[in-house]
Amino acid sequence: GNSVTQMEGPVTLSEEAFLTINCTYTATGYPSLFWYVQYPGEGLQLLLKATKADDKGSNKGFEATYRKETTSFHLEKGSVQVSDSAVYFCALNYGGSQGNLIFGKGTKLSVKP
Amino acid sequence: EADIYQTPRYLVIGTGKKITLECSQTMGHDKMYWYQQDPGMELHLIHYSYGVNSTEKGDLSSESTVSRIRTEHFPLTLESARPSHTSQYLCASSQTFSRGALGVYYGYTFGSGTRLTVV
C-alpha cells in the first residue's frame, strides 16, 4: 500500500544551521507530495508542494524536490531560525478515489539561539 | 476570508459526558475530514465526508460519530467521553486541483484544532 516514511526526531539545531529532514514514499503511479508544518498549539499549514516528478516546491526558505527515481521528497533549509521550531509532516495524495492524504509520522524540530 | 473554524479550542470534561466538537468551513469544499493526533504527534484519520449526507470511517477506529447535513458543517460527537479520548482533534477540508494528464490532487486546509481532556 501507499506510505510515507520520514526521519524520526526530535531534531535539535543551532540557529543558522542547515536543515535536512528526509522523506521517502511508497506509492504506485504519480502522487502529489507535500510538506506541512505544525507550530505549537496550532493546526497544520501547507509549507510547500510538488505535483509531478522533478518539481521543486519552495516557501519561506524551505525547499524540497520530487525525486521519482529515489522516491524521495527531502525538506531542506539553508539557515534555520528559532521561529522554525515546529513539527514537520511529509504527505502524499492522489486525488480521486484514493484522495485521502497519507502522512508520515512527523519530525519535531527545535532550533536553539 | 475563507477559512475553517473549530470550536472549542480547549475542552476539559468529565467522564461519561456527551460532547460535540464543531467544525465549519466557509470555502464551499465538498470534502471534509477529522484527524486524531496522539501525543507522539502522529495523525490518524478517523472520519471523512465527500459531501452532504456522506460519511465514512477512517483508518483508525473511533467511538466518535459524525454528521454532514450541510456542506459547511461537519461536527464530531462523543456520546460518552472517556479518558482514552483525551487527544488533539483536527478538522480539515479539501479542494480539487488539476494536474492535467496526471489527474488531480486534493489541497487540504486545516483548522486550529480542539484539545480535548477527559478527566
Side-chain angles (χ1 to χ4, degrees), chain A:
Chain A
N2 303 323
S3 65
V4 174
T5 303
Q6 61 183 104
M7 65 186 284
E8 293 188 20
V11 175
T12 302
L13 296 174
S14 298
E15 205 165 24
E16 300 183 3
F18 185 85
L19 168 72
T20 299
I21 301 178
N22 290 335
C23 171
T24 58
Y25 67 90
T26 301
T28 55
Y30 301 94
S32 293
L33 301 174
F34 306 85
W35 278 100
Y36 285 85
V37 59
Q38 185 178 31
Y39 297 104
E42 298 295 325
L44 274 68
Q45 302 175 25
L46 177 65
L47 180 60
L48 53 84
K49 68 178 186 297
T51 60
K52 62 181 187 295
D54 300 325
D55 271 2
K56 177 186 283 187
S58 61
N59 186 26
K60 299 181 181 179
F62 291 89
E63 293 183 339
T65 300
Y66 188 159
R67 302 285 189 202
K68 189 166 177 62
E69 62 276 14
T70 55
T71 62
S72 65
F73 193 54
H74 305 320
L75 182 68
E76 296 182 335
K77 186 175 186 182
S79 176
V80 294
Q81 305 301 311
V82 172
S83 57
D84 294 326
S85 298
V87 180
Y88 293 82
F89 292 90
C90 186
L92 71 82
N93 171 242
Y94 280 97
S97 61
Q98 302 178 69
N100 296 339
L101 263 182
I102 297 171
F103 285 100
K105 293 185 177 181
T107 302
K108 184 174 182 179
L109 170 66
S110 296
V111 181
K112 306 298 183 186

Side-chain angles (χ1 to χ4, degrees), chain B residues 12-74:
Chain B
V12 180
I13 200 162
T15 298
K17 299 292 186 183
K18 177 180 179 179
I19 58 168
T20 296
L21 307 184
E22 300 289 349
C23 176
S24 294
Q25 48 100 1
T26 59
M27 297 170 282
H29 292 170
D30 287 330
K31 300 175 183 61
M32 296 189 73
Y33 313 82
W34 276 103
Y35 288 85
Q36 185 174 341
Q37 187 170 29
D38 61 30
M41 306 171 301
E42 192 169 353
L43 293 158
H44 303 282
L45 180 66
I46 53 174
H47 299 283
Y48 61 97
S49 167
Y50 280 5
V52 171
N53 295 324
S54 152
T55 60
E56 301 287 344
K57 291 188 180 297
D59 306 319
L60 180 69
S61 177
S62 173
E63 294 167 346
S64 59
T65 58
V66 293
S67 62
R68 189 86 184 277
I69 298 172
R70 302 196 315 266
T71 297
E72 63 271 23
H73 195 214
F74 191 41

Side-chain angles (χ1 to χ4, degrees), chain B residues 105-118:
Chain B
Y105 73 93
Y106 296 158
Y108 280 53
T109 303
F110 283 83
S112 297
T114 294
R115 181 162 296 281
L116 172 66
T117 302
V118 183

